[in-house]
């Protein structure tokens, strides 16, 4: 069992233990973050290994939309700290019993994230090229 504490993040607080943040409001509730934001919890761990484990566990749960079930609120959905803590504890226990499979899944998630970032960069370049082509067309025809 990995040791972790979940607390509501306060912007004026600094943390000495390894930690990451978890978004708690909106449709992306449960998303792990490396930097804090106004609506987040902080997950504190005892060591860097536990932090990595919990971060990627949370990331996998968020990507699989596992937190959607726990969202409350009609205008701005949110997840309660109690529900998040309970779900992370249960999921951590399951993932710890299947350590090798979990590691494999995490490595696959990391690779997919890298590929996704590369694709996003490529899409931005395609969009820039489209705009450039159209702007050039307008300049050449005197319409712009």
């Amino acid at each position: 069992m990995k040791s972790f504490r979940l607390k509501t993040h306060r912007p004026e607080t600094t943390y000495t233990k390894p930690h990451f943040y978890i978004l708690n409001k909106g449709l992306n509730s449960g998303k792990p973050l490396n930097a804090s934001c106004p609506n987040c919890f902080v997950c504190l761990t005892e060591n860097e290994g536990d932090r990595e484990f919990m971060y990627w566990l949370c990331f996998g749960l968020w990507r699989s939309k596992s937190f959607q079930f726990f969202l409350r609120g009609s205008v701005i959905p949110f997840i309660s700290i109690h529900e998040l803590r309970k779900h992370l504890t249960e999921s951590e226990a399951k993932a710890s019993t299947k350590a090798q499979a979990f590691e494999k899944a995490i490595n696959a998630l990391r690779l997919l994230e890298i590929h996704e970032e590369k694709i996003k960069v490529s899409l931005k370049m395609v969009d820039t090229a489209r705009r450039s082509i159209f702007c050039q067309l307008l300049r050449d025809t005197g319409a712009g």
Side-chain angles (χ1 to χ4, degrees):
M1 293 286 287
K2 307 293 182 210
S3 174
F4 73 94
R5 284 185 31 221
L6 209 54
K7 296 169 55 171
T8 300
H9 171 64
R10 307 235 184 279
E12 65 277 358
T13 308
T14 54
Y15 306 100
T16 55
K17 291 186 174 188
H19 63 280
F20 66 95
Y21 304 93
I22 303 172
L23 193 60
N24 64 15
K25 286 193 178 158
L27 294 175
N28 277 323
S29 292
K31 181 179 182 180
L33 308 166
N34 288 315
S36 67
C37 69
N39 299 312
C40 65
F41 300 127
V42 63
C43 182
L44 301 160
T45 60
E46 293 299 317
N47 56 56
E48 197 60 39
D50 286 356
R51 182 220 177 267
E52 283 297 302
F53 183 93
M54 292 305 297
Y55 178 90
W56 287 103
L57 173 66
C58 194
F59 184 85
L61 292 171
W62 169 69
R63 275 295 189 185
S64 65
K65 300 198 181 294
S66 180
F67 297 116
Q68 296 287 321
F69 176 77
F70 301 102
L71 294 182
R72 300 175 182 198
S74 57
V75 178
I76 299 174
F78 66 95
I79 189 167
S80 71
I81 196 166
H82 171 71
E83 292 288 344
L84 181 64
R85 185 180 292 123
K86 183 180 173 188
H87 190 52
L88 283 177
T89 302
E90 290 170 357
S91 299
E92 186 274 328
K94 289 177 186 175
S96 290
T97 61
K98 302 173 186 173
Q100 260 187 330
F102 181 76
E103 267 311 305
K104 233 178 176 180
I106 294 310
N107 288 333
L109 281 175
R110 285 180 176 151
L111 285 173
L112 288 171
E113 279 301 299
I114 291 168
H115 289 304
E116 184 179 20
E117 287 304 313
K118 287 179 183 177
I119 290 169
K120 283 180 182 177
V121 168
S122 296
L123 287 173
K124 281 184 182 180
M125 291 172 63
V126 167
D127 191 46
T128 302
R130 281 185 186 137
R131 272 183 282 165
S132 176
I133 289 169
F134 194 71
C135 287
Q136 186 67 38
L137 174 72
L138 293 177
R139 262 189 249 123
D140 291 345
T141 59

